[in-house]
Amino acid sequence: MKIVILSRSRFLYSTARLALVGRVRGHHVRIIDPLRCAMLVDGERSALLYRGEPLGPVDAVLPRLGRSWSFAGLAVLRQFESLGVPCLNPSGGIAIARDKLSTLQCLARARVPAVATAFARDARDVRGGIEALGGPPVVVKLSDGSQGLGVMLAESAAGAESIVGAFHVFNQHILVQPYLRCDGDLRLIVAGGQVVAAMRRRAAQGEFRNNLHRGGVAVVHRTAPEERRVALEAARAIGLRVAGIDLIESPHGPLVLEVNASPGLRGIEAATGRNVAASLLRCLEARYSAASSSSSGSSRLRASSSGQPSTIPDALR
Ligand SMILES: Nc1ncnc2c1ncn2[C@@H]1O[C@H](COP(=O)(O)OP(=O)(O)O)[C@@H](O)[C@H]1O
Ligand SMILES: [Mg+2]
């Protein structure tokens, strides 16, 4: 297959790893920066240029969209989708996952157990939310944060109010959750309807955030059936084929903390010894095969200039 990885840099660990494993599996892999893509959006003539040139044939797309720049990334991904190119994760699911509030609302609608969360636009309305959650201590977090940045612990309702008030000055959306004390959290990687790897992350000394970017350490985790069920349901509810599902243990069973549409590979592969990159690529290969067999010759994929049905959209040639 001719695979495009949408990523800001070829030097990012997970991007480099996916490219390497993709090539080992016999694919032609090209890494493209969505910020250098130009698009023509015009019905039949829709097209996509990279660094000013037509991109050439593309069979499948593997998006690695960071939270901070996902507007441009999502726009490019949508363009590939509308050109009929199979993508590992759909733009709709990635758009939901980039925002914690949307994710939690989506999970609630699908009855997937998740951490209770309050959202208030005005700092004066925060206290009611904290009371509904059972009182302090609470965790206050940016709705679109990642890597543990923008996640704070407030010991009192007044502390939480002042954090929320400060962030609203910068027009940031803030979520409040009960502080759940537990032995770290769990990260399960879902790919193609299966949990392919799982680790437990524990925070560094003096830190409550378990993120590996914040100095947390990870060990392999043997998943319980209930954990696998919740992770698979969460990925399905958000509409993601591949996802990193963070779970936190509670007396009532595992609760979803967040959903990552582009989970990092370094920590999970090191902790588990699993080739997670290969699982992701297998999922993309299956997606490509399913798309090719279900739409060969159909109108879903665009016809080539020769008039023959093709899995390669004209606009990418
Ligand atoms: N409600 C909570 N109770 C206890 N710890 C939490 C809670 N929310 C977040 N944390 C800790 O903070 C870390 C980062 O929070 P998370 O919501 O996953 O944001 P990010 O997207 O920045 O990783 C989690 O991995 C967990 O260790
Ligand atoms: Mg997290």
Side-chain angles (χ1 to χ4, degrees):
M1 287 196 295
K2 288 189 161 52
I3 296 175
V4 155
I5 299 180
L6 278 180
S7 170
R8 280 312 312 280
S9 166
R10 67 182 64 238
F11 299 112
L12 293 171
Y13 178 88
S14 302
T15 300
R17 175 94 182 111
L18 286 162
L20 175 73
V21 174
R23 286 173 188 135
V24 167
R25 293 177 73 80
H27 302 301
H28 176 275
V29 180
R30 188 162 174 205
I31 299 165
I32 71 165
D33 177 359
L35 298 190
R36 293 301 313 274
C37 290
M39 292 169 274
L40 172 67
V41 183
D42 180 27
E44 278 302 294
R45 289 192 307 139
S46 286
L48 207 153
L49 301 179
Y50 184 55
R51 293 179 183 268
E53 303 284 337
L55 199 51
V58 177
D59 292 320
V61 175
L62 201 166
R64 296 291 306 177
L65 304 181
R67 276 213 168 98
S68 55
W69 57 280
S70 48
F71 176 84
L74 282 171
V76 173
L77 189 59
R78 279 195 300 271
Q79 189 81 355
F80 276 115
E81 286 171 339
S82 60
L83 291 166
V85 182
C87 301
L88 183 61
N89 269 335
S91 56
I94 297 175
I96 295 169
R98 71 182 282 227
D99 179 70
K100 291 182 169 62
L101 182 59
S102 305
T103 299
L104 291 161
Q105 288 173 320
C106 213
L107 295 176
R109 209 178 316 135
R111 297 267 180 266
V112 180
V115 178
T117 303
F119 171 77
R121 191 65 194 87
D122 192 307
R124 288 169 296 185
D125 301 323
V126 170
R127 198 168 286 255
I130 293 174
E131 275 163 24
L133 294 172
V138 288
V139 171
V140 182
K141 59 176 84 168
L142 287 174
S143 194
D144 63 354
S146 68
Q147 302 183 348
L149 299 170
V151 179
M152 292 144 282
L153 185 57
E155 301 286 353
S156 67
E161 276 173 335
S162 64
I163 296 172
V164 174
F167 275 102
H168 281 168
V169 171
F170 299 103
N171 216 18
Q172 296 291 329
H173 298 272
I174 297 292
L175 309 181
V176 181
Q177 297 178 335
Y179 173 50
L180 304 171
R181 277 188 192 81
C182 43
D183 178 22
D185 63 7
L186 306 176
R187 157 71 56 98
L188 276 63
I189 304 290
V190 170
Q194 285 186 333
V195 173
V196 297
M199 64 179 169
R200 181 182 294 277
R201 300 178 301 190
R202 294 190 177 96
Q205 192 81 36
E207 172 63 72
F208 80 99
R209 297 164 298 179
N210 301 312
N211 304 70
L212 304 185
H213 284 99
R214 307 273 72 78
V217 289
V219 291
V220 65
H221 174 69
R222 257 182 87 105
T223 53
E226 178 70 354
E227 292 161 358
R228 291 197 293 277
R229 186 183 66 75
V230 171
L232 295 176
E233 278 180 7
R236 199 175 315 122
I238 308 299
L240 295 171
R241 273 177 217 97
V242 162
I245 311 288
D246 293 350
L247 300 177
I248 203 155
E249 291 151 310
S250 84
H252 314 292
L255 302 173
V256 179
L257 189 57
E258 73 159 338
V259 174
N260 290 274
S262 298
L265 300 182
R266 193 201 297 253
I268 189 91
E269 289 193 337
T272 64
R274 292 278 171 88
N275 189 342
V276 179
S279 299
L280 269 52
L281 280 149
R282 269 196 292 276
C283 191
L284 187 63
E285 290 158 8
R287 168 89 186 96
Y288 171 72
S289 303
S292 306
S293 58
S294 73
S295 54
S296 53
S298 83
S299 59
R300 204 185 70 79
L301 297 180
R302 294 154 60 87
S304 71
S305 50
S306 64
Q308 295 300 309
S310 166
T311 55
I312 301 164
D314 252 6
L316 300 178
R317 281 178 184 282

